[in-house]
Amino acid sequence: MKFCTLLAAATTMVSMAAAATLEPIVMKDRHFFGAKSGKPFFIRGVDYQPGGSAAFKKGSDPLSDINTCARDIFLFQQLGINTIRVYSVDPALNHDECMSLMASAGIYLVLDVNSPLPEEHLNNQEPWTTYTENYLKHVFSVIEVFSGYTNTLAYLAGNEVVFEKESAKTSPNYLKAVVRDMKAYITEQVSRVIPVGYSNADDLNFRISLAKYLECGPVGYIDFFGVNSYQWCGHNTFLGSGYDKLVEDYTDYSLPVFFTEFGCNESPPRLWEEIGSLYHENMTNVFSGGLVYEYTQEANNYGIVDVAKNGAVKTRKDFMTLIDAYEKAPAEPPLPAGATHPTRPEKCAASDDPIYDNIVANHTLPFTFGKDMIKNGMGSVVTRGKLIKDISQRATTYNVMIDGKMISDKTVKATHSYDGAPLPAGGHGKNTGGGVGEGAPVTDLPDGASSAAAIGGFKTTMVGSLAAVAVVFGMFL
Ligand SMILES: *[C@@H]1O[C@H](CO)[C@@H](O)[C@H](O)[C@H]1NC(C)=O
Ligand SMILES: *[C@@H]1O[C@H](CO)[C@@H](O)[C@H](O)[C@H]1NC(C)=O
């Protein structure tokens, strides 16, 4: 019933507002905004890795087959979402059709740069064994390919890399080195700023300490913090679930925060009551929305759709309850006045400061193996993606069943236009925490000091980190 109303409404909207233009999303202070409209952007989305992230293999990924993409983007439109997160991709494949179909539906991508394959992620017990030139080659290739798409919203340098005692000891400064390298690559090779963040495990031991560590310093600081949270279960409330405490913990954080995963599955079907708080002013000052874990039903039982072996898809109950929850949430969530935080990057505290409890906060980052790739780009290894007008297929051939009804018109509606002009060559040139990873200590410099020396050989001289950051984030609005 709900579904039919929704389809009718969507159709009307399309005919009235076919002219919406897909705009890049930029960060300012601690929130996301449309680069042209200046409108606050709240992430409303799902995590998307059909087959599960552990099953990833070379030669196929969630954004490389247009028939599958058309099937799922059609369903994303029924949910009314604006973003998906993908965990692993193969940069050797062509993603132009899927990314273009997503763009035409106004859907953005948050992309992890790692995969479970060897040389494509850090070993979090012994990161020094896996932080290698080949690893960075993979990371930079992913960035090179996806930076060509206007609807690439952000990159994630890691997912739950720190998750217990040993990883909390060994991994934090390697994680920051990866962030540093990714940002250096984007600075040198991509002509727009694409934010780099981290997706944190749902563990009170690291909730604040790791967030604080990743936030600070002139080099290798993240642009946003992703929170994986499963603490609101079943029928609950803002206070009862502890969400009030969660918000309080990040109230003074300098960066955007959003859920990179949420959706406790302890009492199915899920009611998604947390969505009522997530887009309410109780949270919008601190949280920029979130991503539901996850689209397809896998062994761990978090899916909102079932995909059969033959590619047919059927929605689960949780899909319908999710439509209801998103429908009730405001289309334009309130952004409270004064929700700003002009002081980034934050200064680092001493390594033994209690704010870094439970992790080893080593402020010296390992030397990079990526210097030449950062300087020369990956253009000879992979092809940068581009949005195309000529998409071969806008309707899937797979069967789609929603709430028990077989759907006949499965065409993805074009709600957004985009221009396919390639990004200008070269980087954006403003250092926002990259550097070539010479391995120099990254302890804080006096305010206003030039950090060119500390980051060694960087093309753009940085005149006071705060001023440089203000320029980068001011110029798009
Ligand atoms: C907002 O927070 C107040 C407590 O400060 C709580 O009583 C109320 O239920 C919350 N509302 C939502 C939608 O989270
Ligand atoms: C900090 O990290 C650097 C680079 O990995 C390493 O050389 C150094 O030994 C570490 N310091 C401590 C105290 O662990």
Side-chain angles (χ1 to χ4, degrees), residues 66-72 74 311 393-400 410-412:
I66 188 62
N67 198 21
T68 309
C69 288
R71 178 193 72 193
D72 295 331
F74 172 75
Q393 203 181 332
R394 300 192 66 91
T396 186
T397 60
Y398 293 127
N399 282 343
V400 174
K410 296 168 284 190
T411 311
V412 172

Side-chain angles (χ1 to χ4, degrees), residues 171-190:
S171 292
N173 68 331
Y174 279 84
L175 195 47
K176 222 163 169 172
V178 175
V179 173
R180 170 198 64 196
D181 297 345
M182 290 173 69
K183 293 175 93 166
Y185 187 88
I186 295 168
T187 300
E188 292 291 309
Q189 300 296 335
V190 181

Side-chain angles (χ1 to χ4, degrees), residues 232 237-239 243-244 273-283:
W232 184 312
T237 63
F238 183 62
L239 303 175
Y243 264 37
D244 58 331
E273 289 178 339
E274 63 269 56
I275 286 177
S277 290
L278 186 54
Y279 301 98
H280 179 272
E281 63 188 9
N282 279 1
M283 291 186 74

Side-chain angles (χ1 to χ4, degrees), residues 372-446:
D372 291 342
M373 293 183 277
I374 289 168
K375 184 156 160 263
N376 302 322
M378 301 303 289
S380 58
V381 178
V382 288
T383 308
R384 178 167 292 184
K386 59 181 189 311
L387 293 180
I388 55 173
K389 296 284 157 75
D390 198 9
I391 305 171
S392 62
Q393 203 181 332
R394 300 192 66 91
T396 186
T397 60
Y398 293 127
N399 282 343
V400 174
M401 206 181 245
I402 298 180
D403 205 17
K405 292 180 218 51
M406 195 66 88
I407 305 299
S408 48
D409 182 4
K410 296 168 284 190
T411 311
V412 172
K413 308 283 181 299
T415 57
H416 288 68
S417 63
Y418 49 87
D419 87 57
L423 284 179
H428 62 75
K430 303 287 187 304
N431 189 349
T432 57
V436 293
E438 302 273 288
V442 294
T443 39
D444 276 318
L445 301 158

Side-chain angles (χ1 to χ4, degrees), residues 23 25 31-34 37-42 82 331-335:
E23 53 181 346
I25 302 300
H31 287 90
F32 296 100
F33 297 86
S37 64
K39 271 194 186 165
F41 181 86
F42 286 87
N82 62 18
E332 293 183 8
L335 181 59

